[in-house]
């Protein structure tokens, strides 16, 4: 079966994602639809594309949706109620009693209603037609992507979307105890690709300041060596299981003879330097030990930057996940296990 697939990326990363998709899936076409949104066509089905995105990995694709129907923007502007009718028609053709409804805007379509108003209009119409409608967490998701040319409607298994959030835009609330916004990156990762942290043990946090990741790992029950020349937040100061070392990662790794169960690295440095530091860190990591890091992207050729850094990491790690998450700005999150 051949599907048209709507692909979501960070706004400026559609060209990089297109290059990745063409390399991973020879013969496919990707046509830009809106900033950060493209339409993938070729002889493929969504399950295959989702699997290849995970396994390759295709790092700049955040979300996938199988397109089933389209409503031109002019029609939606004149008759917004048509969107609900189109959604009912999609589910009449492929019935699922309980679905998640997700709606998002790509680019700046000129619409008479806000996306949340349209969500309610569609949800009300579906409910009227006997559907049970949720926001997420269902086996099937009905998606509506509003672009400047049309509303695209999709229906697919949530597990094949890569992320169970509208367009992959994971929205998280800032808790009072949060130390830094960097914590969102670990929280988002735990939602889109659950990573099994050990329940106890010792973690090394490279580039730890001000201490958001250290806080999250402490909460998970780990003891932390937090390495950064800069300060840690005062809330971590009294914790006897947080050891702050004011040094660069390179110096610390050259001098320590400790071994760790987990290493995380959110250092602000080039992706290649950071991957090289991770090779030194691997010498202090137990076999099978977990590594989580961010690769900072240079504006020039982000895809090459990521590929080179992943190649370096592959010398010591099996990479199990690499993706530009919603909370990654100019960076990519990578997860691996020491071989
Ligand atoms: C984005 S911040 C880390 C935020 C942290 N993960 C959190 O959750 O609060 C990047 C940090 O990398 C640190 N850094 C940059 N180069 C470093 C190096 N060579 N060794 C250790 N830390 C470094 C900086 O001092 C900075 O505090």
């Amino acid at each position: 079966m051949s599907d048209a697939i709507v692909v979501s990326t960070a706004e400026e990363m559609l060209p990089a994602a297109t290059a990745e998709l063409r390399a991973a899936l020879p013969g496919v076409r990707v046509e830009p639809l809106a900033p950060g949104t493209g339409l993938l066509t070729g002889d493929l089905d969504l399950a295959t594309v989702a699997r290849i995105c995970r396994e390759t990995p295709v790092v700049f694709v955040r979300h996938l949706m199988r397109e089933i129907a389209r409503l031109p923007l002019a029609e939606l502007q004149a008759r917004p109620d048509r969107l609900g009718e189109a959604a009912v028609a999609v589910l009449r053709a492929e019935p699922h009693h309980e679905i998640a409804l997700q709606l998002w805007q790509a680019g700046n379509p000129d619409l008479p209603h806000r996306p949340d108003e349209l969500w309610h209009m569609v949800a009300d119409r579906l409910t009227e037609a006997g559907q049970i409608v949720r926001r997420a967490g269902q086996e099937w998701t009905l998606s509506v992507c509003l672009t400047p040319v049309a509303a695209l409607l999709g229906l697919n298994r949530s597990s094949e979307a890569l992320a169970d959030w509208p367009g992959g835009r994971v929205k998280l609330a800032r808790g009072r105890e949060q130390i830094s916004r960097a914590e969102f990156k670990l929280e988002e990762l735990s939602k889109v690709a659950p990573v099994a942290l050990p329940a106890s043990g010792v973690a090394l946090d490279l580039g730890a300041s001000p201490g958001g990741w250290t806080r999250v790992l402490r909460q998970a029950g780990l003891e932390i060596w937090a390495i950064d020349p800069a300060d840690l937040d005062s809330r971590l100061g009294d914790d006897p299981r947080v050891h702050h070392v004011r040094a660069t990662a390179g110096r610390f790794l050259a001098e320590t003879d400790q071994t760790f169960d987990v290493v995380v690295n959110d250092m602000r440095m080039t992706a290649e330097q950071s991957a090289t530091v991770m090779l030194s860190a691997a010498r202090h990591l137990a076999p099978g030990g977990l590594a989580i890091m961010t690769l900072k992207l240079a504006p020039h050729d982000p895809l090459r930057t990521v590929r080179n850094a992943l190649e370096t990491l592959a010398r010591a790690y099996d990479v199990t996940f690499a993706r530009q998450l919603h909370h990654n700005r100019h960076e990519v999150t990578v997860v691996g296990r020491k071989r």
Side-chain angles (χ1 to χ4, degrees), residues 29-41:
R29 288 175 300 284
V30 185
E31 166 204 340
L33 289 175
T37 308
L39 189 70
L40 175 75
T41 49

Side-chain angles (χ1 to χ4, degrees), residues 20-151:
E20 283 187 287
L21 288 164
R22 285 194 185 131
L25 299 157
V28 298
R29 288 175 300 284
V30 185
E31 166 204 340
L33 289 175
T37 308
L39 189 70
L40 175 75
T41 49
D43 190 14
L44 310 147
D45 60 275
L46 182 66
T48 307
V49 175
R51 181 179 54 75
I52 287 174
C53 283
R54 285 199 177 96
E55 288 175 1
T56 303
V58 173
V59 299
F60 291 112
V61 172
R62 270 187 195 147
H63 185 266
L64 299 169
M65 155 193 137
R66 179 168 65 104
E67 184 188 348
I68 303 275
R70 228 175 235 228
L71 194 65
L73 192 74
E75 210 173 316
L76 181 58
Q77 286 165 331
R79 293 279 310 276
D81 57 306
R82 289 264 167 89
L83 195 55
E85 294 308 326
V88 169
V90 164
L91 284 164
R92 203 173 289 133
E94 269 192 58
H96 299 286
H97 184 51
E98 191 166 354
I99 49 109
L101 171 64
Q102 300 188 346
L103 180 147
W104 69 98
Q105 190 168 304
N108 225 347
D110 180 14
L111 288 166
H113 297 281
R114 293 195 315 263
D116 59 313
E117 292 170 337
L118 286 169
W119 188 93
H120 283 288
M121 286 166 68
V122 177
D124 289 350
R125 181 64 193 93
L126 287 170
T127 308
E128 216 178 273
Q131 287 292 148
I132 297 180
V133 179
R134 314 267 186 223
R135 292 246 176 212
Q138 300 305 307
E139 188 183 353
W140 290 87
T141 299
L142 176 73
S143 301
V144 181
C145 175
L146 305 166
T147 76
V149 280

Side-chain angles (χ1 to χ4, degrees), residues 135-170:
R135 292 246 176 212
Q138 300 305 307
E139 188 183 353
W140 290 87
T141 299
L142 176 73
S143 301
V144 181
C145 175
L146 305 166
T147 76
V149 280
L152 315 178
L153 288 91
L155 181 64
N156 51 258
R157 280 184 196 280
S158 310
S159 58
E160 290 167 0
L162 299 181
D164 191 10
W165 295 75
R169 299 172 192 176
V170 179

Side-chain angles (χ1 to χ4, degrees), residues 179-180 182-183 185 205-214 227-230 247-250 266-269 296:
I179 288 175
S180 67
E183 290 182 34
K185 296 185 259 182
D205 185 352
L206 301 173
S209 169
W213 284 23
T214 290
I227 317 303
D228 202 307
T248 61
D266 192 24
M267 286 188 289
R268 199 176 305 118
M269 62 173 60
K296 313 296 177 196

